C-alpha cells in the first residue's frame, strides 16, 4: 500500500468541514463514503456530526447520559470545585485565565487534575491492597456511586509540544500512594494522545497500568487518520469512553474508545481508536492483587484524571458524564 502523506492543517480543516456538512443529514457515516469510494475499508474512520445532543458547554454527546448518573462540567469562572482538584505530583501552583476564557497552568512541567465523584474520596476498599477479585465481584472499588460507563471530554490547544506520552485521559481509577507505586489501587486504563512534535503526525494508544508498570495495548500505537500534527494545530477535542461490556467474573469485557474533534467546534467527532479488553487478549501482567492473569478492569471506580507533562497547553470544556452504553444514532 502506498505511503500516505500528512495533509496541511488548512486542507485538513477543509476536509473535516466538508465531511461535517454531509453529516448534518447522515449522523453516522464513514469518512470514505462521504469523500471517496476508493479509501480502503480499514482506513475509514467513523465520523459523527451532532447539532442538538449537546451539553451545557455546547459540546456534543456520543452516548446518552445515564439517568441520575454522575455529570460534571468544568466551571470556566473557577475550575476547581468540590469534585475537581489539583492532582498529586503537579508542579503548577495556580491556573491562569486566557483572554478566550480558556485556562493554562502557570507551570506545565507536570500538570494533573483529579475528578472525584465523591468529594470526600480518599482510598478504595482495601487501600493499596485492593483485591481485584473482590472488586470484580462487587462491581466497584469504593462505593456504589463509582463510575462504570463514562464519557470524559477535554479540549486542548498545544502551543509547544508535550513530553512523555502527551495528553492522558484516565479512569475510572483510584488514588494510590505516590511514594509506593507497588499498590493495587494503581490499576487503570489510559487514553494517550501524543502531541510531542511539530513535524511528525500524532499517534494515539491505550495503556493498562498495574502496580509500578504500564502495559501498552497489544495493538500498539496508531497513527491518527486523517494524519494530523496536534502540536501547533489550534483547538482540538478528545473524548475517552470506557464501557463495561460484561461483568461476568469468568468472562469480563471492557471496551475503550477514543474520539477526536479537530476543528474545535465540539460537534464533529471522529473515532480514532478502539479496543475490547478480555483475558484472552492477554493485555497486562500475570495474576496480581488476588486477580486473574491479564485482569480486565470490569468494575467501577470513583476518579477520572486529566494529565500532561511539559509543553504549553491551554485547556477548556472539560466534562464527565456517566453514560448508557448505546451510541446515539440520531
Amino acid at each position: 500500500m502506498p505511503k500516505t502523506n500528512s495533509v496541511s492543517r488548512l486542507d485538513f480543516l477543509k476536509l473535516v468541514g466538508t465531511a461535517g456538512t454531509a453529516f448534518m443529514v447522515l449522523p453516522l457515516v464513514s469518512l470514505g463514503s462521504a469523500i471517496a469510494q476508493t479509501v480502503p475499508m480499514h482506513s475509514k474512520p467513523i465520523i459523527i456530526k451532532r447539532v442538538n445532543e449537546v451539553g451545557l458547554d455546547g459540546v456534543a454527546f456520543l452516548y446518552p447520559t445515564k439517568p441520575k448518573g454522575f455529570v460534571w462540567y468544568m466551571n470556566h469562572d473557577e475550575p476547581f470545585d468540590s469534585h475537581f482538584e489539583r492532582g498529586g505530583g503537579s508542579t503548577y501552583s495556580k491556573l491562569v485565565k486566557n483572554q478566550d476564557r480558556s485556562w493554562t497552568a502557570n507551570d506545565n512541567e507536570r500538570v494533573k487534575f483529579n475528578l472525584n465523584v465523591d468529594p470526600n474520596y480518599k482510598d478504595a476498599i482495601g487501600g493499596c491492597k485492593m483485591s481485584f477479585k473482590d472488586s470484580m465481584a462487587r462491581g466497584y472499588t469504593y462505593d456504589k456511586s463509582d463510575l462504570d460507563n463514562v464519557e470524559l471530554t477535554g479540549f486542548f490547544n498545544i502551543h509547544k509540544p508535550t513530553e512523555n506520552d502527551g495528553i492522558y485521559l484516565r479512569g475510572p481509577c483510584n488514588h494510590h500512594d505516590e511514594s509506593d507505586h507497588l499498590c493495587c489501587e494503581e490499576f487503570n486504563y489510559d487514553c494517550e494522545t501524543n502531541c510531542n512534535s511539530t513535524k511528525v503526525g500524532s499517534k494515539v494508544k491505550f495503556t493498562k497500568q498495574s502496580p509500578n508498570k504500564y502495559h501498552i495495548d497489544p495493538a500498539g500505537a496508531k497513527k491518527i487518520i486523517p494524519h494530523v500534527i496536534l502540536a501547533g494545530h489550534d483547538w482540538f477535542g478528545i473524548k475517552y469512553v470506557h464501557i463495561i461490556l460484561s461483568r461476568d467474573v469468568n468472562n469480563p469485557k471492557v471496551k475503550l474508545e477514543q474520539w477526536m474533534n479537530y476543528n474545535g467546534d465540539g460537534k464533529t467527532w471522529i473515532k480514532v481508536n478502539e479496543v475490547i479488553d478480555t483475558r484472552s487478549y492477554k493485555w497486562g501482567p500475570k495474576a496480581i492483587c488476588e486477580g486473574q492473569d491479564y485482569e480486565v478492569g470490569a468494575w467501577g471506580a470513583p476518579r477520572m484524571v486529566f494529565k500532561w507533562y511539559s509543553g504549553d497547553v491551554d485547556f477548556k470544556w472539560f466534562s464527565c458524564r456517566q453514560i448508557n452504553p448505546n451510541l446515539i444514532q440520531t
Side-chain angles (χ1 to χ4, degrees):
M1 181 177 175
K3 182 178 179 181
T4 304
N5 294 324
S6 298
V7 296
S8 69
R9 180 174 179 273
L10 178 59
D11 289 341
F12 183 89
L13 292 178
K14 288 179 179 178
L15 180 151
V16 172
T18 302
T21 303
F23 302 133
M24 295 284 285
V25 180
L26 301 174
L28 183 60
V29 62
S30 67
L31 178 62
S33 299
I35 299 174
Q37 296 296 327
T38 58
V39 177
M41 286 297 293
H42 69 271
S43 64
K44 289 184 179 181
I46 295 174
I47 296 183
I48 291 179
K49 174 75 176 185
R50 303 201 191 291
V51 293
N52 51 6
E53 297 283 347
V54 299
L56 299 177
D57 51 14
V59 177
F61 298 165
L62 296 175
Y63 290 86
T65 303
K66 178 182 179 180
K68 298 183 180 180
F70 178 75
V71 176
W72 173 88
Y73 291 92
M74 187 176 77
N75 182 332
H76 271 269
D77 293 322
E78 177 50 63
F80 292 122
D81 57 28
S82 61
H83 297 284
F84 193 59
E85 65 180 13
R86 178 181 181 272
S90 295
T91 56
Y92 68 92
S93 59
K94 65 179 181 179
L95 300 180
V96 179
K97 195 170 188 178
N98 300 314
Q99 289 186 349
D100 63 359
R101 298 191 69 240
S102 66
W103 292 86
T104 190
N106 70 329
D107 180 353
N108 277 273
E109 182 180 352
R110 290 193 305 275
V111 177
K112 182 180 179 182
F113 302 103
N114 298 330
L115 177 63
N116 299 317
V117 176
D118 182 345
N120 298 314
Y121 166 69
K122 294 297 181 183
D123 285 287
I125 296 171
C128 262
K129 294 183 179 180
M130 183 186 98
S131 166
F132 293 173
K133 179 181 179 180
D134 290 348
S135 298
M136 182 77 73
R138 189 172 51 244
Y140 57 86
T141 63
Y142 171 72
D143 187 84
K144 290 181 180 179
S145 66
D146 284 0
L147 296 168
D148 45 15
N149 304 320
V150 60
E151 183 174 319
L152 184 69
T153 305
F155 277 73
F156 307 90
N157 189 355
I158 312 295
H159 301 286
K160 180 181 176 182
T162 54
E163 295 180 358
N164 288 27
D165 290 299
I167 302 294
Y168 300 70
L169 273 61
R170 172 180 295 172
C173 59
N174 293 276
H175 162 267
H176 63 80
D177 186 348
E178 291 179 49
S179 64
D180 181 6
H181 288 275
L182 296 174
C183 181
C184 297
E185 282 190 291
E186 200 170 33
F187 181 98
N188 59 254
Y189 294 103
D190 270 4
C191 171
E192 300 174 5
T193 306
N194 188 295
C195 311
N196 297 4
S197 174
T198 58
K199 297 180 180 180
V200 179
S202 296
K203 295 182 178 181
V204 296
K205 69 174 182 283
F206 294 118
T207 64
K208 179 188 288 187
Q209 187 176 3
S210 63
N212 207 33
K213 190 171 183 180
Y214 282 88
H215 304 270
I216 298 175
D217 175 4
K222 300 175 183 177
K223 290 183 179 179
I224 296 174
I225 298 175
H227 294 178
V228 61
I229 297 173
L230 293 173
H233 174 79
D234 209 340
W235 285 103
F236 63 90
I238 304 173
K239 280 185 181 288
Y240 164 53
V241 178
H242 175 281
I243 295 172
I244 300 176
L245 295 178
S246 171
R247 300 173 185 270
D248 184 343
V249 295
N250 297 310
N251 187 29
K253 295 181 182 178
V254 169
K255 183 181 183 183
L256 309 178
E257 298 177 355
Q258 180 175 349
W259 299 69
M260 299 200 67
N261 171 237
Y262 296 112
N263 58 10
D265 69 350
K267 306 296 193 299
T268 309
W269 291 95
I270 300 176
K271 185 188 285 187
V272 297
N273 201 5
E274 178 180 299
V275 65
I276 294 178
D277 187 23
T278 64
R279 288 178 183 145
S280 61
Y281 192 52
K282 296 185 177 180
W283 181 8
K286 293 286 187 174
I288 55 174
C289 303
E290 298 185 335
Q292 300 290 319
D293 289 349
Y294 310 113
E295 190 63 88
V296 175
W299 53 70
R303 173 176 286 179
M304 304 298 288
V305 170
F306 300 88
K307 185 175 75 168
W308 58 88
Y309 295 89
S310 298
D312 182 0
V313 181
D314 295 341
F315 62 92
K316 65 179 181 179
W317 296 348
F318 282 7
S319 69
C320 179
R321 293 181 304 109
Q322 198 165 9
I323 58 174
N324 283 329
N326 298 305
L327 190 66
I328 299 171
Q329 297 292 323
T330 58

